[in-house]
PDB file of all heavy atoms in Angstrom:
ATOM      1  N   ALA A1233     123.304  98.834 102.158  1.00  0.00           N
ATOM      2  CA  ALA A1233     122.268  98.882 103.185  1.00  0.00           C
ATOM      3  C   ALA A1233     122.738  99.720 104.369  1.00  0.00           C
ATOM      4  O   ALA A1233     123.865  99.565 104.848  1.00  0.00           O
ATOM      5  CB  ALA A1233     121.931  97.463 103.650  1.00  0.00           C
ATOM      6  N   ILE A1234     121.870 100.603 104.833  1.00  0.00           N
ATOM      7  CA  ILE A1234     122.212 101.457 105.972  1.00  0.00           C
ATOM      8  C   ILE A1234     121.965 100.690 107.270  1.00  0.00           C
ATOM      9  O   ILE A1234     120.962 100.003 107.431  1.00  0.00           O
ATOM     10  CB  ILE A1234     121.370 102.747 105.945  1.00  0.00           C
ATOM     11  CG1 ILE A1234     121.786 103.608 104.756  1.00  0.00           C
ATOM     12  CG2 ILE A1234     121.523 103.540 107.247  1.00  0.00           C
ATOM     13  CD1 ILE A1234     123.236 104.055 104.773  1.00  0.00           C
ATOM     14  N   ASP A1235     122.915 100.823 108.192  1.00  0.00           N
ATOM     15  CA  ASP A1235     122.753 100.216 109.509  1.00  0.00           C
ATOM     16  C   ASP A1235     123.180 101.222 110.565  1.00  0.00           C
ATOM     17  O   ASP A1235     123.467 102.392 110.253  1.00  0.00           O
ATOM     18  CB  ASP A1235     123.528  98.900 109.623  1.00  0.00           C
ATOM     19  CG  ASP A1235     125.023  99.063 109.342  1.00  0.00           C
ATOM     20  OD1 ASP A1235     125.586 100.144 109.645  1.00  0.00           O
ATOM     21  OD2 ASP A1235     125.630  98.105 108.833  1.00  0.00           O
ATOM     22  N   LEU A1236     123.229 100.784 111.824  1.00  0.00           N
ATOM     23  CA  LEU A1236     123.533 101.690 112.926  1.00  0.00           C
ATOM     24  C   LEU A1236     124.997 102.097 112.969  1.00  0.00           C
ATOM     25  O   LEU A1236     125.373 102.949 113.787  1.00  0.00           O
ATOM     26  CB  LEU A1236     123.136 101.036 114.255  1.00  0.00           C
ATOM     27  CG  LEU A1236     121.634 100.821 114.434  1.00  0.00           C
ATOM     28  CD1 LEU A1236     121.352  99.988 115.678  1.00  0.00           C
ATOM     29  CD2 LEU A1236     120.902 102.150 114.513  1.00  0.00           C
ATOM     30  N   HIS A1237     125.813 101.529 112.097  1.00  0.00           N
ATOM     31  CA  HIS A1237     127.222 101.904 112.022  1.00  0.00           C
ATOM     32  C   HIS A1237     127.479 102.863 110.867  1.00  0.00           C
ATOM     33  O   HIS A1237     128.052 103.939 111.060  1.00  0.00           O
ATOM     34  CB  HIS A1237     128.095 100.647 111.891  1.00  0.00           C
ATOM     35  CG  HIS A1237     128.211  99.870 113.156  1.00  0.00           C
ATOM     36  ND1 HIS A1237     129.384  99.745 113.863  1.00  0.00           N
ATOM     37  CD2 HIS A1237     127.284  99.187 113.879  1.00  0.00           C
ATOM     38  CE1 HIS A1237     129.197  99.019 114.946  1.00  0.00           C
ATOM     39  NE2 HIS A1237     127.923  98.660 114.980  1.00  0.00           N
ATOM     40  N   ASN A1238     127.048 102.486 109.664  1.00  0.00           N
ATOM     41  CA  ASN A1238     127.403 103.338 108.525  1.00  0.00           C
ATOM     42  C   ASN A1238     126.467 104.526 108.323  1.00  0.00           C
ATOM     43  O   ASN A1238     126.697 105.350 107.453  1.00  0.00           O
ATOM     44  CB  ASN A1238     127.503 102.510 107.242  1.00  0.00           C
ATOM     45  CG  ASN A1238     126.187 101.862 106.825  1.00  0.00           C
ATOM     46  OD1 ASN A1238     125.100 102.271 107.253  1.00  0.00           O
ATOM     47  ND2 ASN A1238     126.270 100.835 105.981  1.00  0.00           N
ATOM     48  N   MET A1239     125.398 104.640 109.122  1.00  0.00           N
ATOM     49  CA  MET A1239     124.516 105.807 108.984  1.00  0.00           C
ATOM     50  C   MET A1239     125.264 107.114 109.246  1.00  0.00           C
ATOM     51  O   MET A1239     124.900 108.170 108.736  1.00  0.00           O
ATOM     52  CB  MET A1239     123.317 105.697 109.927  1.00  0.00           C
ATOM     53  CG  MET A1239     123.643 105.739 111.393  1.00  0.00           C
ATOM     54  SD  MET A1239     122.123 105.606 112.403  1.00  0.00           S
ATOM     55  CE  MET A1239     122.830 105.722 114.063  1.00  0.00           C
ATOM     56  N   PHE A1240     126.357 107.038 110.011  1.00  0.00           N
ATOM     57  CA  PHE A1240     127.127 108.237 110.319  1.00  0.00           C
ATOM     58  C   PHE A1240     127.863 108.773 109.088  1.00  0.00           C
ATOM     59  O   PHE A1240     128.227 109.947 109.047  1.00  0.00           O
ATOM     60  CB  PHE A1240     128.145 107.945 111.429  1.00  0.00           C
ATOM     61  CG  PHE A1240     127.512 107.600 112.749  1.00  0.00           C
ATOM     62  CD1 PHE A1240     127.289 106.284 113.107  1.00  0.00           C
ATOM     63  CD2 PHE A1240     127.124 108.602 113.624  1.00  0.00           C
ATOM     64  CE1 PHE A1240     126.698 105.958 114.321  1.00  0.00           C
ATOM     65  CE2 PHE A1240     126.519 108.290 114.831  1.00  0.00           C
ATOM     66  CZ  PHE A1240     126.312 106.966 115.181  1.00  0.00           C
ATOM     67  N   SER A1241     128.094 107.917 108.091  1.00  0.00           N
ATOM     68  CA  SER A1241     128.765 108.390 106.878  1.00  0.00           C
ATOM     69  C   SER A1241     127.815 109.164 105.982  1.00  0.00           C
ATOM     70  O   SER A1241     128.245 109.794 105.017  1.00  0.00           O
ATOM     71  CB  SER A1241     129.362 107.201 106.105  1.00  0.00           C
ATOM     72  OG  SER A1241     128.339 106.378 105.570  1.00  0.00           O
ATOM     73  N   VAL A1242     126.516 109.117 106.292  1.00  0.00           N
ATOM     74  CA  VAL A1242     125.518 109.859 105.516  1.00  0.00           C
ATOM     75  C   VAL A1242     125.044 111.100 106.269  1.00  0.00           C
ATOM     76  O   VAL A1242     124.951 112.192 105.707  1.00  0.00           O
ATOM     77  CB  VAL A1242     124.311 108.958 105.175  1.00  0.00           C
ATOM     78  CG1 VAL A1242     123.307 109.709 104.304  1.00  0.00           C
ATOM     79  CG2 VAL A1242     124.770 107.683 104.475  1.00  0.00           C
ATOM     80  N   VAL A1243     124.751 110.933 107.548  1.00  0.00           N
ATOM     81  CA  VAL A1243     124.362 112.058 108.410  1.00  0.00           C
ATOM     82  C   VAL A1243     125.265 112.006 109.648  1.00  0.00           C
ATOM     83  O   VAL A1243     124.942 111.357 110.641  1.00  0.00           O
ATOM     84  CB  VAL A1243     122.869 111.967 108.809  1.00  0.00           C
ATOM     85  CG1 VAL A1243     122.477 113.171 109.665  1.00  0.00           C
ATOM     86  CG2 VAL A1243     121.974 111.914 107.567  1.00  0.00           C
ATOM     87  N   PRO A1244     126.415 112.669 109.596  1.00  0.00           N
ATOM     88  CA  PRO A1244     127.435 112.513 110.638  1.00  0.00           C
ATOM     89  C   PRO A1244     127.243 113.431 111.839  1.00  0.00           C
ATOM     90  O   PRO A1244     126.496 114.408 111.789  1.00  0.00           O
ATOM     91  CB  PRO A1244     128.719 112.882 109.901  1.00  0.00           C
ATOM     92  CG  PRO A1244     128.273 113.928 108.923  1.00  0.00           C
ATOM     93  CD  PRO A1244     126.880 113.481 108.475  1.00  0.00           C
ATOM     94  N   ASN A1245     127.953 113.079 112.897  1.00  0.00           N
ATOM     95  CA  ASN A1245     128.018 113.952 114.068  1.00  0.00           C
ATOM     96  C   ASN A1245     128.821 115.210 113.749  1.00  0.00           C
ATOM     97  O   ASN A1245     129.754 115.174 112.938  1.00  0.00           O
ATOM     98  CB  ASN A1245     128.682 113.239 115.244  1.00  0.00           C
ATOM     99  CG  ASN A1245     127.793 112.197 115.880  1.00  0.00           C
ATOM    100  OD1 ASN A1245     126.580 112.209 115.703  1.00  0.00           O
ATOM    101  ND2 ASN A1245     128.400 111.287 116.628  1.00  0.00           N
ATOM    102  N   PHE A1246     128.488 116.279 114.417  1.00  0.00           N
ATOM    103  CA  PHE A1246     129.236 117.533 114.280  1.00  0.00           C
ATOM    104  C   PHE A1246     130.450 117.476 115.206  1.00  0.00           C
ATOM    105  O   PHE A1246     130.533 118.133 116.224  1.00  0.00           O
ATOM    106  CB  PHE A1246     128.332 118.712 114.635  1.00  0.00           C
ATOM    107  CG  PHE A1246     128.994 120.062 114.524  1.00  0.00           C
ATOM    108  CD1 PHE A1246     129.756 120.395 113.421  1.00  0.00           C
ATOM    109  CD2 PHE A1246     128.829 121.006 115.525  1.00  0.00           C
ATOM    110  CE1 PHE A1246     130.363 121.636 113.315  1.00  0.00           C
ATOM    111  CE2 PHE A1246     129.424 122.256 115.434  1.00  0.00           C
ATOM    112  CZ  PHE A1246     130.199 122.570 114.325  1.00  0.00           C
ATOM    113  N   ASP A1247     131.395 116.605 114.840  1.00  0.00           N
ATOM    114  CA  ASP A1247     132.640 116.499 115.576  1.00  0.00           C
ATOM    115  C   ASP A1247     133.699 115.931 114.648  1.00  0.00           C
ATOM    116  O   ASP A1247     133.455 115.728 113.451  1.00  0.00           O
ATOM    117  CB  ASP A1247     132.479 115.656 116.854  1.00  0.00           C
ATOM    118  CG  ASP A1247     132.041 114.228 116.594  1.00  0.00           C
ATOM    119  OD1 ASP A1247     132.468 113.635 115.580  1.00  0.00           O
ATOM    120  OD2 ASP A1247     131.266 113.684 117.405  1.00  0.00           O
ATOM    121  N   LEU A1248     134.897 115.673 115.196  1.00  0.00           N
ATOM    122  CA  LEU A1248     136.031 115.275 114.371  1.00  0.00           C
ATOM    123  C   LEU A1248     136.328 113.788 114.457  1.00  0.00           C
ATOM    124  O   LEU A1248     137.383 113.340 113.995  1.00  0.00           O
ATOM    125  CB  LEU A1248     137.269 116.086 114.776  1.00  0.00           C
ATOM    126  CG  LEU A1248     137.097 117.609 114.753  1.00  0.00           C
ATOM    127  CD1 LEU A1248     138.387 118.303 115.151  1.00  0.00           C
ATOM    128  CD2 LEU A1248     136.631 118.078 113.377  1.00  0.00           C
ATOM    129  N   ASP A1249     135.422 113.012 115.034  1.00  0.00           N
ATOM    130  CA  ASP A1249     135.594 111.574 115.116  1.00  0.00           C
ATOM    131  C   ASP A1249     135.696 110.991 113.707  1.00  0.00           C
ATOM    132  O   ASP A1249     134.884 111.307 112.839  1.00  0.00           O
ATOM    133  CB  ASP A1249     134.414 110.956 115.872  1.00  0.00           C
ATOM    134  CG  ASP A1249     134.570 109.466 116.083  1.00  0.00           C
ATOM    135  OD1 ASP A1249     134.153 108.698 115.183  1.00  0.00           O
ATOM    136  OD2 ASP A1249     135.096 109.070 117.118  1.00  0.00           O
ATOM    137  N   THR A1250     136.684 110.133 113.486  1.00  0.00           N
ATOM    138  CA  THR A1250     136.925 109.635 112.130  1.00  0.00           C
ATOM    139  C   THR A1250     135.859 108.662 111.655  1.00  0.00           C
ATOM    140  O   THR A1250     135.671 108.489 110.446  1.00  0.00           O
ATOM    141  CB  THR A1250     138.299 108.946 112.048  1.00  0.00           C
ATOM    142  OG1 THR A1250     138.364 107.894 113.026  1.00  0.00           O
ATOM    143  CG2 THR A1250     139.422 109.947 112.302  1.00  0.00           C
ATOM    144  N   GLU A1251     135.143 108.007 112.589  1.00  0.00           N
ATOM    145  CA  GLU A1251     134.119 107.042 112.200  1.00  0.00           C
ATOM    146  C   GLU A1251     132.724 107.640 112.214  1.00  0.00           C
ATOM    147  O   GLU A1251     131.934 107.411 111.295  1.00  0.00           O
ATOM    148  CB  GLU A1251     134.154 105.826 113.136  1.00  0.00           C
ATOM    149  CG  GLU A1251     133.158 104.741 112.760  1.00  0.00           C
ATOM    150  CD  GLU A1251     133.234 103.530 113.659  1.00  0.00           C
ATOM    151  OE1 GLU A1251     134.001 103.557 114.645  1.00  0.00           O
ATOM    152  OE2 GLU A1251     132.520 102.543 113.398  1.00  0.00           O
ATOM    153  N   ARG A1252     132.402 108.417 113.262  1.00  0.00           N
ATOM    154  CA  ARG A1252     131.038 108.925 113.411  1.00  0.00           C
ATOM    155  C   ARG A1252     130.914 110.402 113.082  1.00  0.00           C
ATOM    156  O   ARG A1252     129.810 110.927 112.982  1.00  0.00           O
ATOM    157  CB  ARG A1252     130.555 108.684 114.844  1.00  0.00           C
ATOM    158  CG  ARG A1252     130.477 107.212 115.218  1.00  0.00           C
ATOM    159  CD  ARG A1252     130.055 107.049 116.663  1.00  0.00           C
ATOM    160  NE  ARG A1252     131.032 107.642 117.573  1.00  0.00           N
ATOM    161  CZ  ARG A1252     130.781 107.974 118.833  1.00  0.00           C
ATOM    162  NH1 ARG A1252     129.568 107.797 119.324  1.00  0.00           N
ATOM    163  NH2 ARG A1252     131.726 108.492 119.581  1.00  0.00           N
ATOM    164  N   GLY A1253     132.028 111.092 112.919  1.00  0.00           N
ATOM    165  CA  GLY A1253     132.007 112.531 112.698  1.00  0.00           C
ATOM    166  C   GLY A1253     132.130 112.928 111.235  1.00  0.00           C
ATOM    167  O   GLY A1253     132.068 112.091 110.329  1.00  0.00           O
ATOM    168  N   ILE A1254     132.342 114.212 111.012  1.00  0.00           N
ATOM    169  CA  ILE A1254     132.374 114.764 109.658  1.00  0.00           C
ATOM    170  C   ILE A1254     133.503 114.173 108.795  1.00  0.00           C
ATOM    171  O   ILE A1254     133.318 113.994 107.590  1.00  0.00           O
ATOM    172  CB  ILE A1254     132.453 116.300 109.713  1.00  0.00           C
ATOM    173  CG1 ILE A1254     131.208 116.838 110.445  1.00  0.00           C
ATOM    174  CG2 ILE A1254     132.524 116.899 108.311  1.00  0.00           C
ATOM    175  CD1 ILE A1254     131.256 118.313 110.744  1.00  0.00           C
ATOM    176  N   PRO A1255     134.674 113.839 109.356  1.00  0.00           N
ATOM    177  CA  PRO A1255     135.720 113.246 108.504  1.00  0.00           C
ATOM    178  C   PRO A1255     135.281 111.964 107.790  1.00  0.00           C
ATOM    179  O   PRO A1255     135.844 111.611 106.747  1.00  0.00           O
ATOM    180  CB  PRO A1255     136.853 112.955 109.496  1.00  0.00           C
ATOM    181  CG  PRO A1255     136.691 114.007 110.539  1.00  0.00           C
ATOM    182  CD  PRO A1255     135.199 114.152 110.700  1.00  0.00           C
ATOM    183  N   GLY A1256     134.280 111.257 108.314  1.00  0.00           N
ATOM    184  CA  GLY A1256     133.805 110.049 107.656  1.00  0.00           C
ATOM    185  C   GLY A1256     132.659 110.278 106.686  1.00  0.00           C
ATOM    186  O   GLY A1256     132.152 109.325 106.092  1.00  0.00           O
ATOM    187  N   PHE A1257     132.278 111.533 106.490  1.00  0.00           N
ATOM    188  CA  PHE A1257     131.090 111.845 105.688  1.00  0.00           C
ATOM    189  C   PHE A1257     131.225 111.431 104.236  1.00  0.00           C
ATOM    190  O   PHE A1257     130.266 110.988 103.619  1.00  0.00           O
ATOM    191  CB  PHE A1257     130.792 113.339 105.770  1.00  0.00           C
ATOM    192  CG  PHE A1257     129.678 113.797 104.866  1.00  0.00           C
ATOM    193  CD1 PHE A1257     128.385 113.347 105.048  1.00  0.00           C
ATOM    194  CD2 PHE A1257     129.922 114.682 103.834  1.00  0.00           C
ATOM    195  CE1 PHE A1257     127.348 113.762 104.235  1.00  0.00           C
ATOM    196  CE2 PHE A1257     128.898 115.120 103.012  1.00  0.00           C
ATOM    197  CZ  PHE A1257     127.611 114.657 103.208  1.00  0.00           C
ATOM    198  N   ASN A1258     132.407 111.539 103.659  1.00  0.00           N
ATOM    199  CA  ASN A1258     132.540 111.312 102.213  1.00  0.00           C
ATOM    200  C   ASN A1258     133.001 109.900 101.875  1.00  0.00           C
ATOM    201  O   ASN A1258     133.452 109.650 100.761  1.00  0.00           O
ATOM    202  CB  ASN A1258     133.509 112.331 101.608  1.00  0.00           C
ATOM    203  CG  ASN A1258     134.914 112.192 102.172  1.00  0.00           C
ATOM    204  OD1 ASN A1258     135.160 111.361 103.040  1.00  0.00           O
ATOM    205  ND2 ASN A1258     135.836 113.008 101.674  1.00  0.00           N
ATOM    206  N   LYS A1259     132.865 108.959 102.814  1.00  0.00           N
ATOM    207  CA  LYS A1259     133.338 107.594 102.533  1.00  0.00           C
ATOM    208  C   LYS A1259     132.631 106.973 101.344  1.00  0.00           C
ATOM    209  O   LYS A1259     133.179 106.133 100.654  1.00  0.00           O
ATOM    210  CB  LYS A1259     133.130 106.718 103.774  1.00  0.00           C
ATOM    211  CG  LYS A1259     134.111 107.012 104.899  1.00  0.00           C
ATOM    212  CD  LYS A1259     133.855 106.102 106.092  1.00  0.00           C
ATOM    213  CE  LYS A1259     134.839 106.388 107.218  1.00  0.00           C
ATOM    214  NZ  LYS A1259     134.569 105.554 108.410  1.00  0.00           N
ATOM    215  N   ASN A1260     131.387 107.340 101.125  1.00  0.00           N
ATOM    216  CA  ASN A1260     130.630 106.757 100.020  1.00  0.00           C
ATOM    217  C   ASN A1260     130.587 107.660  98.786  1.00  0.00           C
ATOM    218  O   ASN A1260     129.834 107.396  97.857  1.00  0.00           O
ATOM    219  CB  ASN A1260     129.191 106.461 100.483  1.00  0.00           C
ATOM    220  CG  ASN A1260     129.132 105.313 101.477  1.00  0.00           C
ATOM    221  OD1 ASN A1260     129.669 104.251 101.229  1.00  0.00           O
ATOM    222  ND2 ASN A1260     128.492 105.536 102.599  1.00  0.00           N
ATOM    223  N   GLY A1261     131.375 108.725  98.812  1.00  0.00           N
ATOM    224  CA  GLY A1261     131.406 109.616  97.668  1.00  0.00           C
ATOM    225  C   GLY A1261     130.110 110.349  97.421  1.00  0.00           C
ATOM    226  O   GLY A1261     129.727 110.608  96.278  1.00  0.00           O
ATOM    227  N   ILE A1262     129.402 110.718  98.518  1.00  0.00           N
ATOM    228  CA  ILE A1262     128.076 111.319  98.372  1.00  0.00           C
ATOM    229  C   ILE A1262     128.051 112.782  98.791  1.00  0.00           C
ATOM    230  O   ILE A1262     126.999 113.390  98.844  1.00  0.00           O
ATOM    231  CB  ILE A1262     127.037 110.557  99.230  1.00  0.00           C
ATOM    232  CG1 ILE A1262     127.471 110.579 100.701  1.00  0.00           C
ATOM    233  CG2 ILE A1262     126.846 109.146  98.724  1.00  0.00           C
ATOM    234  CD1 ILE A1262     126.434 110.000 101.638  1.00  0.00           C
TER     235      ILE A1262
END
Side-chain angles (χ1 to χ4, degrees):
I1234 292 299
D1235 57 32
L1236 294 172
H1237 286 247
N1238 63 19
M1239 65 180 181
F1240 295 94
S1241 68
V1242 183
V1243 182
N1245 286 341
F1246 180 46
D1247 61 36
L1248 305 181
D1249 184 272
T1250 56
E1251 183 178 5
R1252 297 177 298 161
I1254 299 172
F1257 174 64
N1258 63 358
K1259 286 180 180 178
N1260 290 309
I1262 58 173

